[in-house]
Amino acid sequence: MEQLLDPFGRKHDYLRISVTDRCNLRCVYCMPAEGMVFQPHEEIMSYEEIAETVSALAPMGLRKIRLTGGEPLVRKDLEQLVTMLSAIPGIEDIALTTNGMFLAKKAELLKQAGLKRVNISLDSLRQDRFAMITRGGEVEKVLEGIQAAVEVGFEPIKLNVVLMKGVNEDEIRDFLALTIDRPLHVRFIEYMPIGSASETWRQTYLPLTAVEDVCRESGWEVEAVEGPRGNGPAESRRIAGAAGTFGLIHPVSEHFCDNCNRLRLTADGHIKACLYWSDELHVRPFATAGDRDGIRSLFLKALGAKPKNHEMALALEHKQQSHTPTTRRMSQIGG
């Protein structure tokens, strides 16, 4: 059967699935404080439609699934979807990206259903600042979720930190210190100009050289290492003798498009071959009809039009881009 290849020979074995556009938080880089219009429930893909889509793609080489949102744990009984996906032949790895607020309550059920690993968003360790960034979140609940993830045996456990100039760069050392005694993997991510963030990101963007500067100032010996399973685009490092690692993800300054292996499925059933561009194809009608050939054909069509790279860095330089950037917000596209 034809494989999931794009015109540049990149093999795609990884699908990020947004199961909802809703979230219990309103992070400043993801959603506006007010006025967010969510999609009606009937426009969101059912678990059966998602499983049908994955079943169609597995024979084409799909091996890895990541469930995202919005916040995926606001979707009722998410463990049922994990069970369904785990039963599909060829699917080897199912992961979850979450804000961690509900993870302590759901970790055991998700583990039993077949979830392998988790990424937890955590942009500050200080309650007042965390509440400001998330517009009301409780950092203690996230820390409880991290502990629950450790206890049930998720491996690896990654903490995603979006670095923002003037907001949380003074916590870089605190985040790095989390990796010394515990097998946690902190990933620092550049602030991206997507959706609501596109209006303010130039003022907030911070290059990840700031992380390297903190390591030098702290006198830490740092070594390049192979990242944990599912490391994706992160450049992995370890403080000498540490139990965990930290990673640098440069979507803007040093794009990782050359080895991109991921596709995205939005909560309302659109294929996005690239996170940044507006190009989308609606696959849900084929999933509803159980038309696996139609699903496969549409994914191949999406891949056939996938650009070589996302060109985010051109926005930093006020230069013309070759495609139209997406107007969807991060919460709507499973970013």
Side-chain angles (χ1 to χ4, degrees), residues 149-176:
V150 171
E151 290 174 358
V152 303
F154 288 129
E155 169 56 34
I157 299 169
K158 302 175 186 174
L159 307 182
N160 291 345
V161 182
V162 177
L163 278 187
M164 293 169 277
K165 183 169 62 178
V167 178
N168 64 353
E169 75 264 43
D170 60 340
E171 292 188 67
I172 291 174
R173 192 182 192 285
D174 295 335
F175 277 111
L176 289 168

Side-chain angles (χ1 to χ4, degrees), residues 82-278:
V82 175
T83 298
M84 295 164 71
L85 297 177
S86 296
I88 297 173
I91 299 303
E92 300 170 353
D93 187 43
I94 303 175
L96 175 76
T97 293
T98 174
N99 63 34
M101 294 281 287
F102 301 139
L103 185 57
K105 295 180 180 179
K106 299 289 274 186
E108 184 61 41
L109 286 173
L110 291 165
K111 178 68 172 174
Q112 292 174 357
L115 191 73
K116 303 292 186 184
R117 51 197 177 89
V118 292
N119 286 25
I120 302 169
S121 298
L122 182 61
D123 298 317
S124 178
L125 297 167
R126 306 177 188 182
Q127 174 53 33
D128 57 343
R129 185 176 290 171
F130 184 83
M132 181 274 292
I133 294 171
T134 60
R135 298 190 178 103
E138 299 175 51
V139 72
E140 190 59 36
K141 289 186 177 180
V142 182
L143 297 177
E144 290 171 0
I146 294 170
Q147 182 59 33
V150 171
E151 290 174 358
V152 303
F154 288 129
E155 169 56 34
I157 299 169
K158 302 175 186 174
L159 307 182
N160 291 345
V161 182
V162 177
L163 278 187
M164 293 169 277
K165 183 169 62 178
V167 178
N168 64 353
E169 75 264 43
D170 60 340
E171 292 188 67
I172 291 174
R173 192 182 192 285
D174 295 335
F175 277 111
L176 289 168
L178 291 177
T179 71
I180 294 176
D181 297 321
R182 305 179 73 188
L184 299 175
H185 306 277
V186 174
R187 291 141 49 96
F188 296 99
I189 305 171
E190 287 181 330
Y191 192 50
M192 289 181 279
I194 292 178
S196 56
S198 62
E199 302 161 6
T200 58
W201 78 287
R202 282 191 184 88
Q203 293 75 40
T204 314
Y205 171 78
L206 183 71
L208 298 187
T209 51
V211 178
E212 298 168 345
D213 292 341
V214 169
C215 289
R216 282 194 296 270
E217 293 164 3
S218 301
W220 285 326
E221 181 182 344
V222 174
E223 56 188 355
V225 294
E226 183 176 341
R229 181 165 52 92
N231 194 49
E235 297 176 9
S236 291
R237 308 279 189 271
R238 174 182 284 120
I239 297 170
T245 67
F246 67 93
L248 308 177
I249 300 179
H250 309 263
V252 179
S253 63
E254 300 177 23
H255 71 76
F256 37 80
C257 302
D258 287 348
N259 58 359
C260 181
N261 67 336
R262 58 192 62 76
L263 292 157
R264 287 175 169 82
L265 182 64
T266 67
D268 58 355
H270 286 80
I271 305 165
K272 287 189 73 67
C274 178
L275 171 71
Y276 189 55
W277 300 124
S278 61

Side-chain angles (χ1 to χ4, degrees), residues 67 142 147 280 298-299 304 324:
L67 302 178
V142 182
Q147 182 59 33
E280 296 182 358
L298 207 62
F299 269 87
T324 303

Side-chain angles (χ1 to χ4, degrees), residues 287-301:
T288 303
D291 182 356
R292 294 189 180 181
D293 287 339
I295 292 170
R296 293 173 184 133
S297 295
L298 207 62
F299 269 87
L300 288 173
K301 183 178 179 180

